[in-house]
Amino acid sequence: LTINHIVMEKLICAIMFLLSLPAASVHAQAFKEMTFFELSAGSGVKHHGITPVDFSFKLHVDLLPFAYIFIAAEDNIALYKNDGAKSYSNGCSMGGGLGFKLLNGVKGKHALDVRVKSLSTLGSPDWKRNTYDASLAWYLKTEKFSPIVELGYRYLDSRTKGIDNYGNAYLTIGLRY
């Protein structure tokens, strides 16, 4: 690439950014209403002596009235016994997913969503893995904090020697805003 080509790319990006500012300011309130946050803690069923525990943060943005995308960051802890002594491995995962609102058209305060999510560990954790989830999430439709309960199935695709892949049921409880 020549320097002129690089300068031209940066100029086009700057122009596109400046042209998008008026649209962003007009829809700023609408964007706030389409954005949700979640903090939760969860655990899965014990499998081969390993009990998974996860702490999660999710940021949702509505795409359509019935669907949204989200990014997720999780602190993953695996509790197990090593030669009779309690031990754990720790790691951080990042990824995202899609959610579909099942009760969106129903008037009432309850919401039920179907979600699919994919995560991958970051850095050099004790347990390198990819995680794939499918779940149902229940919460209250409100503009303030709401409890959220998520029940699903998680498949852990291990990339660490000596730890097998496995799937398990899991439950998370948290707050949504």
Side-chain angles (χ1 to χ4, degrees):
L1 294 174
T2 65
I3 293 188
N4 289 337
H5 184 56
I6 294 170
V7 170
M8 186 60 103
E9 281 184 52
K10 288 183 179 184
L11 182 61
I12 290 170
C13 287
I15 290 169
M16 290 176 67
F17 174 76
L18 291 173
L19 289 173
S20 69
L21 285 178
S25 64
V26 168
H27 299 294
Q29 183 64 28
F31 183 76
K32 181 181 176 190
E33 293 168 1
M34 298 178 349
T35 307
F36 300 94
F37 302 92
E38 281 181 26
L39 292 169
S40 60
S43 183
V45 175
K46 188 175 188 175
H47 184 75
H48 290 298
I50 297 173
T51 303
V53 177
D54 300 295
F55 300 95
S56 178
F57 171 79
K58 293 182 187 96
L59 170 63
H60 302 238
V61 177
D62 287 344
L63 290 176
L64 300 167
F66 61 87
Y68 55 89
I69 60 171
F70 61 91
I71 58 170
E74 289 188 0
D75 181 24
N76 310 117
I77 301 170
L79 306 173
Y80 61 93
K81 286 190 178 180
N82 187 10
D83 294 327
K86 292 181 181 179
S87 189
Y88 69 95
S89 66
N90 197 3
C92 182
S93 295
M94 187 111 184
L98 294 170
F100 301 95
K101 301 174 185 180
L102 296 180
L103 300 178
N104 193 44
V106 177
K107 290 188 179 186
K109 64 180 181 177
H110 297 281
L112 184 66
D113 297 356
V114 171
R115 297 177 176 177
V116 291
K117 174 176 67 175
S118 176
L119 303 164
S120 186
T121 51
L122 302 173
S124 298
D126 301 329
W127 183 8
K128 292 181 183 179
R129 67 189 196 184
N130 292 329
T131 306
Y132 307 99
D133 294 355
S135 65
L136 286 173
W138 169 87
Y139 56 93
L140 298 174
K141 296 177 190 175
T142 178
E143 294 178 14
K144 298 182 180 181
F145 284 101
S146 163
I148 183 161
V149 178
E150 190 172 2
L151 178 64
Y153 178 80
R154 173 171 278 191
Y155 181 76
L156 301 166
D157 182 15
S158 179
R159 298 187 324 257
T160 298
K161 188 176 179 179
I163 302 177
D164 293 333
N165 301 338
Y166 75 90
N168 67 349
Y170 73 94
L171 173 73
T172 65
I173 298 173
L175 289 175
R176 182 178 201 267
Y177 181 75

